[in-house]
Amino acid sequence: MSNNTIFFISRKEFFVSLVEIFTLAICVLFSNLPIASFVAVFVLCVFLIRILNKHAIFYIKYLAVLFSVISLMVGCLLIEFTDIYLTEIQSYSKFVGSIPLLSLSFWVLLKTIYLIDSKSKVSFPSEPLKIKRNSTRNAITMVSIVVFIAFFAQFISIAPHPAFVVGLERSAYSAVYLTNPVLNTLYNYSILLVIIPILLIVNDKGWRRYLGFACVLLNILNAIWMGNKFGSFLQLLEIVLIVFSGSMSSNLTNKKIKKYAGISLISLVILILSACIIKSFNSESIVENYLSNRVASQSELWWKIYSLYDGDFHLQNFPNEIKSFFTANDIISENIGANYGIYNVMYLTSSKNIVNAMLKSGYRYSQAGYAAMYYYFGYIGPILYSLIFGFITAKTTNRLIKALDSGLIIETFIYIRLLIFTYSAFANFIFNFYFSTLTILTYMYLIFFRGKRLKFRRN
């Protein structure tokens, strides 16, 4: 370790971090004062701007994480400092001082990812992802044709019932209109399947490339039609940017990364505005109310749990979570009365009748991870959660990029699957995915066959 570094970071960065974490800790201690919330948010924003200014690549690699952090923080600000009625938990918003602890937790999350990134020094694949063999290209083309047919068949089946017309969220929509097990499975793995056509976009300039674009557009259209939330689009965009990154790496600069980031942000704003406009045609509520309630719903479980429990531990109930690793039911409507994960948090924060009705319709709330950890482990819970989530996310993302850089097909799909389901697992506090048969098989593959099988390329 150099005399100019402490824990693999520069002395200046180390002492700036100490000031930030000390300030946030003071804000947590005085969280009953509104000013503490604003100071905590300011410190988090300064930290985020500092990271993105020095390492703009962070924006592309962790786009979905950043979106989740920002949406949760904005939602919490709305609940704490504006007058909103939260229908799902039947509560009027008020100030409870939950923002400082959430800000500290997010700082730990982003700092953990940043430190792991700094040590691994993995940015983008070092060269464009090329498919050298005609046989491999033909195979990927055939699979892409199958994917196109599957996506098209899926769209035909749901076209008469767009979610923004029937008024259903994604989960409820799936329960009502995706009753066909084949279409339901296709929906669950669509974000993985779309990677195959993306390879055609990267490698071809003729009709194959148009085939790839058609598959991606159909996937987006299906997602919109089924009422997907904005986070799903951000996950897809993040994966697309990572896969495309090899083609950009030879002449990529911070200026260009910021340009791509700006385009991504504009795309997100257009998506949100489009959703608001569509909603305004189908609802008596005005656009502002829809948008504020949608954002506030991201933080309502955290806010309610924080207001109900004063940092007390509830470890006696945690064995239910351990048991759910192996017994959790992936069908939302089958979890009426469940005492684990997001379902337990829903029952803790809302009336039993409302939760039962929600689950019966195939709908569940959003973002229960930090709320659950606060309920079980008090103030230390969200911070510990950030450390674990940050470590897994950073390691998986960097492994994905290394697999892409080495042209490893199977490993690329394994890490994409792990990354996407990690976002879902930590948002819903349901971790049975990590213990499923398929996931265990992927662990075994990574242990025994990593780097030794099917490749995109090798010169």
Side-chain angles (χ1 to χ4, degrees):
M1 185 181 299
S2 169
N3 291 331
N4 295 321
T5 62
I6 302 177
F7 299 119
F8 304 104
I9 60 175
S10 68
R11 287 181 176 273
K12 179 181 178 181
E13 178 71 21
F14 178 78
F15 287 113
V16 170
S17 298
L18 279 182
V19 171
E20 289 173 340
I21 197 169
F22 177 78
T23 304
L24 289 171
I26 293 296
C27 290
V28 173
L29 289 176
F30 293 94
S31 60
N32 60 312
L33 302 176
I35 187 65
S37 296
F38 292 111
V39 172
V41 172
F42 176 76
V43 172
L44 182 64
C45 289
V46 170
F47 169 65
L48 189 56
I49 293 171
R50 190 159 53 85
I51 287 181
L52 298 181
N53 188 51
K54 291 174 62 177
H55 303 280
I57 196 74
F58 195 93
Y59 182 97
I60 292 179
K61 290 178 67 176
Y62 303 104
L63 187 61
V65 174
L66 290 173
F67 175 77
S68 179
V69 167
I70 293 172
S71 62
L72 273 164
M73 187 55 64
V74 173
C76 207
L77 283 167
L78 284 173
I79 295 174
E80 297 254 1
F81 293 103
T82 64
D83 295 323
I84 299 177
Y85 181 70
L86 304 167
T87 306
E88 293 177 344
I89 58 175
Q90 292 186 305
S91 298
Y92 285 98
S93 62
K94 65 177 181 179
F95 175 79
V96 298
S98 67
I99 290 177
L101 180 57
L102 190 62
S103 298
L104 175 59
S105 302
F106 285 158
W107 185 93
V108 172
L109 169 65
L110 297 174
K111 191 68 176 182
T112 300
I113 295 175
Y114 173 76
L115 290 176
I116 293 175
D117 254 25
S118 299
K119 186 178 179 181
S120 65
K121 298 180 179 179
V122 175
S123 56
F124 274 152
S126 58
E127 60 178 328
L129 191 62
K130 294 297 183 183
I131 301 173
K132 297 286 188 180
R133 297 179 180 178
N134 287 332
S135 58
T136 304
R137 179 178 283 103
N138 291 335
I140 290 177
T141 302
M142 292 302 297
V143 174
S144 296
I145 292 173
V146 173
V147 170
F148 175 82
I149 295 172
F151 284 172
F152 186 74
Q154 185 179 48
F155 180 71
I156 292 299
S157 69
I158 63 175
H161 312 287
F164 50 81
V165 172
V166 298
L168 294 177
E169 298 287 347
R170 173 183 56 82
S171 301
Y173 187 94
S174 300
V176 175
Y177 294 106
L178 284 182
T179 54
N180 186 305
V182 175
L183 292 178
N184 195 40
T185 302
L186 177 64
Y187 160 73
N188 291 331
Y189 287 93
S190 60
I191 198 168
L192 295 177
L193 294 174
V194 79
I195 301 305
I196 300 173
I198 290 174
L199 297 176
L200 292 181
I201 299 174
V202 174
N203 283 273
D204 287 276
K205 295 183 178 180
W207 66 272
R208 298 173 196 256
R209 190 175 219 184
Y210 292 116
L211 172 63
F213 277 119
C215 290
V216 173
L217 290 175
L218 266 177
N219 185 50
I220 294 173
L221 195 60
N222 282 332
I224 294 173
W225 234 250
M226 289 186 285
N228 273 270
K229 297 179 181 178
F230 305 128
S232 301
F233 294 99
L234 265 292
Q235 291 174 16
L236 175 60
L237 181 59
E238 178 182 309
I239 297 300
V240 169
L241 287 173
I242 290 175
V243 174
F244 265 113
S245 60
S247 299
M248 303 184 294
S249 59
S250 59
N251 60 351
L252 199 62
T253 62
N254 266 15
K255 185 177 180 180
K256 286 189 176 182
I257 293 175
K258 291 174 182 178
K259 179 181 177 181
Y260 295 135
I263 293 173
S264 301
L265 181 61
I266 292 172
S267 301
L268 177 61
V269 171
I270 292 173
L271 177 65
I272 293 174
L273 290 177
S274 299
C276 292
I277 292 171
I278 291 171
K279 185 69 176 180
S280 68
F281 286 120
N282 190 51
S283 174
E284 295 180 357
S285 62
I286 60 176
V287 170
E288 292 88 344
N289 287 342
Y290 165 71
L291 186 57
S292 61
N293 284 315
R294 185 70 178 267
V295 175
S297 68
Q298 300 296 302
S299 306
E300 61 186 5
L301 295 182
W302 160 260
W303 172 81
K304 187 66 173 182
I305 286 289
Y306 188 93
S307 67
L308 291 175
Y309 303 97
D310 190 23
D312 299 326
F313 283 54
H314 296 88
L315 297 178
Q316 69 276 11
N317 300 324
F318 194 71
N320 296 325
E321 303 293 345
I322 303 297
K323 183 180 177 181
S324 73
F325 292 174
F326 310 98
T327 61
N329 194 321
D330 292 330
I331 302 174
I332 294 177
S333 59
E334 297 294 325
N335 281 283
I336 295 176
N339 57 0
Y340 65 87
I342 190 172
Y343 307 111
N344 184 48
V345 177
M346 288 171 65
Y347 280 111
L348 289 171
T349 56
S350 188
S351 72
K352 184 177 179 180
N353 290 336
I354 288 180
V355 175
N356 287 346
M358 289 283 189
L359 296 179
K360 186 177 181 180
S361 68
Y363 174 75
R364 64 187 178 196
Y365 300 169
S366 302
Q367 298 292 346
Y370 282 95
M373 285 297 284
Y374 181 78
Y375 170 73
Y376 287 120
F377 300 101
Y379 286 92
I380 195 65
I383 298 172
L384 179 63
Y385 203 57
S386 290
L387 287 170
I388 298 171
F389 181 34
F391 178 83
I392 293 176
T393 301
K395 284 293 186 180
T396 305
T397 301
N398 288 322
R399 287 287 186 182
L400 166 60
I401 293 175
K402 286 182 179 179
L404 278 167
D405 198 23
S406 301
L408 300 169
I409 296 177
I410 296 179
E411 287 187 33
T412 295
F413 278 92
I414 286 175
Y415 287 121
I416 289 175
R417 179 177 179 269
L418 287 173
L419 186 61
I420 295 302
F421 280 96
T422 290
Y423 291 145
S424 176
F426 276 83
N428 297 316
F429 207 72
I430 299 175
F431 304 100
N432 60 321
F433 156 76
Y434 292 107
F435 302 93
S436 68
T437 302
L438 181 57
T439 304
I440 292 174
L441 289 175
T442 63
Y443 296 154
M444 294 177 64
Y445 179 90
L446 293 175
I447 292 171
F448 296 107
F449 301 107
R450 190 171 66 184
K452 296 181 181 180
R453 290 294 182 270
L454 291 174
K455 294 188 175 183
F456 295 116
R457 63 167 190 272
R458 277 300 87 183
N459 295 329

